[in-house]
Amino acid sequence: MWAARCTANHSSEEHLSGHIFARNSSSKISAPPPGILSRTVTPAIIEELKAVVGAKNVSCNDMDKILYSHDLAPLPKEAGVAFKNLPDVIVRPETVAQISGVMAIAYKHGIAVTPRGNASWGLGGCMPTAAGIVLDMSSKMNEVVEINKENLYVKVQAGCTWKKLLDACMAEGYIIGSYPSSFPSGTIGAWISTNGMGIGSYKYGSAKDNILNSEVVVDNGDIIVTGFDDVGAYGMPYNLNQFFSGAEGTLAMLGTVTFRIYPMGEVRCLAYEFDTLKAMNEPIQDVVNEASVRPLHIAWSDYMHFENQRRAACHAPDVTNLWLVTVQGDEAHNDKEEAVIDAIAEKSGGRKVAKEIAEHEWDERCYEFRARKLGVGEIPAEVIVPTHDWGTFTDDCYKGFDVMRMEPGGVIGVMVDRSTALFMPYYFKDDEMITGMLSFGFNFYLGDVAAEYGGRTTGFGVFFAWNLDNIHNAATVGKMRELKTVLDSHDVVNPGHVVCGTTRFGIDLTKGIMGLGSTMMQTIKKLMPKDRAFAYNLKRFRYNDLEDMKVLDRVHTLGDGTQ
């Protein structure tokens, strides 16, 4: 069983003998006899899929397969040697019932199904590891279904972007509790599946904390309704609303979600400049311990962040280290919170900046890495640490840049809640050379440092699945892997993710293997020359000229000879 192994290639009889969840009597596909799972997509199976979702929603196009074989992770082409990351077929469902039909087919034949939103993550979360079917949720299942003002909820399809959902709610005078900084492209199902923390989490909790109900499709195609649209899931024996959050699509396919919504009032942005990033430590500690203040969002950006944006010809305010605090409520409530925050910042040497700068940074909250326009890799090392260690950890970020010989982009981050801080120090790297992969040694390095404080890296996907063994004890990890086996007896629901990354050769990316790889990568990176990709690309590309040419080009009229 998976308590001992991270992959499941056993016979269906062996798995089903330990299946403790009773199947719905209406299940569409009965368990096949042992040993007949083909795990192969055949022309006949393609026809079955077309019968469920329609021929127009099934693609075997070679270019589509390449596009759907990865997420934003800057992987070299050699990754295809280690993983079966090229899918056999892409399926674009339009309804939860169609997802159910696809899963029933996959279950019957033992074919891997990998759910995919807009692929805006970078850990291989939607990268296939065993070929099979990619379930494209964002193409067709991307609508806001209902905004209910009486019971204060919104129902949305899992492939909808957070921006589309937020815009729809704000147009009616409401906000959703929290959403990712990638909200223009990030999808509902993907962020819930990572148990996301982001904008609004400080005040309203993470993604899972705002779920009232959802429709999920499990391995054999059964549709499970996890809660209730009209009331909270209080007094229930099991809270299934939160059960699938953080599983990264390895337990079920998310179809629709019902969220709480909140009256919006006024969203007011405040910003304060400090001489050093570490000087923000005292006001951050004061705010999290202030009972009368609970901002919607707290974020920070250091001087390098703004300097590098200007170097890349991006518009950036003329500030050094900026503390952004966003409050939300009615005007009188915001006035009181602003007065308290002003006093806290001033006491620690903070200088309040113009309202226009604060609003600019709030408007740009989803474009933290806009210096990437220079044509260079720009990668964050995302870690969470206890709030009380915030000041000390800022020193560790800068030390890490030096020790690992990085080309730093900046140190940015957000407060997740009163006790948890999310740091995202980022760096520039060369995406054109395979040696650029060594830069990921910084992510491993900072994850190790965060662990010393009781923190950890965020997300697992394929490439960091081995961290499961680092953040939990053996008994906990064993039970998680056993749970995966029980709930996915044919190993079809996003296999090779979270519980253990798996290569095409059946080699599991275990804690021992990846720990050794992490150490080697860090050691080699420390011996390499310091990264200079940003400075190099600055000489190669003339973006100021390009922007000027784009402006001039807008006055051209086709057909009059001015082209």
Side-chain angles (χ1 to χ4, degrees):
M1 302 294 283
W2 270 34
R5 287 267 308 152
C6 297
T7 54
N9 293 314
H10 313 291
S11 73
S12 34
E13 180 180 45
E14 178 183 354
H15 283 305
L16 292 172
S17 66
H19 210 298
I20 62 173
F21 271 57
R23 288 300 188 188
N24 189 320
S25 60
S26 63
S27 295
K28 292 166 279 303
I29 302 293
S30 59
I36 70 166
L37 297 179
S38 68
R39 304 200 182 279
T40 303
V41 177
T42 63
I45 290 174
I46 297 294
E47 293 305 312
E48 288 187 60
L49 293 171
K50 289 179 179 178
V52 171
V53 301
K56 65 179 181 179
N57 291 329
V58 176
S59 174
C60 296
N61 180 275
D62 287 342
M63 181 57 71
D64 280 354
K65 291 179 183 180
I66 294 172
L67 292 173
Y68 283 76
S69 68
H70 59 87
D71 59 10
L72 279 185
L75 294 177
K77 61 181 181 297
E78 288 79 8
V81 175
F83 303 99
K84 291 183 179 179
N85 60 323
L86 206 67
D88 296 300
V89 58
I90 297 95
V91 177
R92 302 180 175 101
E94 298 182 15
T95 65
V96 175
Q98 288 184 359
I99 298 174
S100 173
V102 171
M103 292 308 299
I105 293 169
Y107 180 83
K108 179 173 66 174
H109 300 286
I111 297 168
V113 182
T114 305
R116 179 186 174 96
N118 276 330
S120 59
W121 210 28
L123 301 181
C126 66
M127 184 189 84
T129 61
I133 300 167
V134 164
L135 203 64
D136 178 359
M137 295 297 298
S138 63
S139 290
K140 301 294 179 71
M141 292 195 65
N142 54 22
E143 297 298 328
V144 177
V145 178
E146 177 191 6
I147 297 176
N148 190 306
K149 299 180 183 179
E150 182 178 1
N151 290 317
L152 296 179
Y153 70 75
V154 59
K155 185 173 184 178
V156 62
Q157 293 177 318
C160 181
T161 66
W162 288 91
K163 184 180 187 303
K164 186 173 183 177
L165 173 60
L166 184 64
D167 287 348
C169 291
M170 290 179 69
E172 300 294 332
Y174 296 92
I175 60 171
I176 49 180
S178 60
Y179 52 92
S181 61
S182 61
F183 68 93
S185 59
T187 58
I188 304 301
W191 200 55
I192 290 173
S193 294
T194 63
N195 192 17
M197 49 198 164
I199 300 161
S201 296
Y202 188 88
K203 185 170 186 175
Y204 292 110
S206 68
K208 66 177 176 56
D209 298 319
N210 290 284
I211 298 175
L212 283 169
N213 195 10
S214 59
E215 293 175 286
V216 300
V217 181
V218 295
D219 61 340
N220 70 337
D222 284 348
I223 300 172
I224 294 177
V225 179
T226 64
F228 310 92
D229 287 346
D230 300 317
V231 294
Y234 306 109
M236 291 177 63
Y238 294 107
N239 189 344
L240 293 181
N241 281 334
Q242 299 194 2
F243 180 75
F244 298 98
S245 297
E248 297 183 16
T250 61
L251 297 181
M253 303 294 162
L254 201 57
T256 66
V257 185
T258 302
F259 291 105
R260 292 182 173 89
I261 55 176
Y262 304 89
M264 181 169 64
E266 175 200 31
V267 176
R268 185 182 301 181
C269 311
L270 314 170
Y272 309 87
E273 185 178 17
F274 289 82
D275 292 334
T276 65
L277 183 65
K278 192 173 182 179
M280 297 179 198
N281 181 56
E282 185 176 346
I284 285 176
Q285 304 302 330
D286 288 346
V287 166
V288 300
N289 286 287
E290 174 57 61
S292 61
V293 172
R294 192 163 190 176
L296 176 69
H297 185 59
I298 302 173
W300 57 87
S301 305
D302 77 342
Y303 70 98
M304 291 191 295
H305 174 70
F306 297 109
E307 284 182 356
N308 285 318
Q309 287 178 21
R310 289 189 286 268
R311 289 174 66 200
C314 299
H315 174 67
D318 186 16
V319 295
T320 51
N321 304 280
L322 200 68
W323 188 40
L324 179 68
V325 183
T326 305
V327 296
Q328 174 257 331
D330 63 30
E331 186 176 351
H333 171 272
N334 288 348
D335 286 343
K336 292 178 179 178
E337 287 205 327
E338 181 174 2
V340 174
I341 296 166
D342 282 351
I344 287 174
E346 184 178 359
K347 185 182 71 170
S348 298
R351 300 174 296 279
K352 195 171 188 178
V353 303
K355 174 184 177 182
E356 291 75 17
I357 292 178
E359 290 179 345
H360 174 271
E361 288 306 293
W362 173 251
D363 290 342
E364 296 290 312
R365 64 196 182 278
C366 56
Y367 302 115
E368 307 104 315
F369 308 114
R370 48 194 181 273
R372 185 181 282 148
K373 65 175 285 186
L374 200 65
V376 66
E378 190 172 348
I379 309 296
E382 296 189 4
V383 296
I384 54 175
V385 296
T387 300
H388 60 77
D389 292 314
W390 191 97
T392 307
F393 194 76
T394 59
D395 292 335
D396 290 319
C397 292
Y398 293 118
K399 178 183 176 182
F401 285 144
D402 291 334
V403 169
M404 296 300 296
R405 305 180 68 77
M406 310 302 296
E407 186 175 20
V411 178
I412 62 176
V414 302
M415 293 302 301
V416 177
D417 55 38
R418 292 186 188 270
S419 62
T420 312
L422 170 66
F423 276 84
M424 295 182 287
Y426 65 95
Y427 54 89
F428 301 113
K429 65 179 288 290
D430 188 345
D431 281 346
E432 297 180 9
M433 300 289 290
I434 193 170
T435 52
M437 296 296 292
L438 292 173
S439 296
F440 284 113
F442 179 77
N443 297 64
F444 294 129
Y445 171 90
L446 204 68
D448 292 342
V449 174
E452 295 174 6
Y453 292 92
R456 58 177 175 82
T457 57
T458 64
F460 296 94
V462 174
F463 311 121
F464 286 86
W466 59 283
N467 268 331
L468 196 69
D469 293 281
N470 289 331
I471 68 173
H472 294 295
N473 65 22
T476 303
V477 174
K479 189 57 65 175
M480 287 181 174
R481 289 175 176 151
E482 183 180 348
L483 183 66
K484 166 66 173 171
T485 302
V486 169
L487 296 184
D488 184 19
S489 59
H490 289 188
D491 196 26
V492 297
V493 186
N494 206 15
H497 296 70
V498 182
V499 290
C500 197
T502 306
T503 68
R504 65 162 68 229
F505 309 109
I507 299 173
D508 299 324
L509 304 180
T510 62
K511 176 182 176 180
I513 292 174
M514 294 302 291
L516 178 61
S518 167
T519 301
M520 291 177 61
M521 185 177 287
Q522 292 181 51
T523 301
I524 296 171
K525 182 66 182 71
K526 292 173 184 177
L527 298 174
M528 296 285 287
K530 185 174 181 178
D531 290 341
R532 298 289 182 188
F534 189 95
Y536 176 59
N537 273 18
L538 201 58
K539 294 178 180 179
R540 294 171 66 197
F541 301 112
R542 297 184 301 167
Y543 271 89
N544 287 337
D545 290 353
L546 177 60
E547 293 302 318
D548 289 341
M549 290 171 63
K550 286 166 60 180
V551 171
L552 291 173
D553 192 59
R554 292 191 181 100
V555 305
H556 292 173
T557 303
L558 294 178
D560 70 351
T562 63
Q563 292 86 330

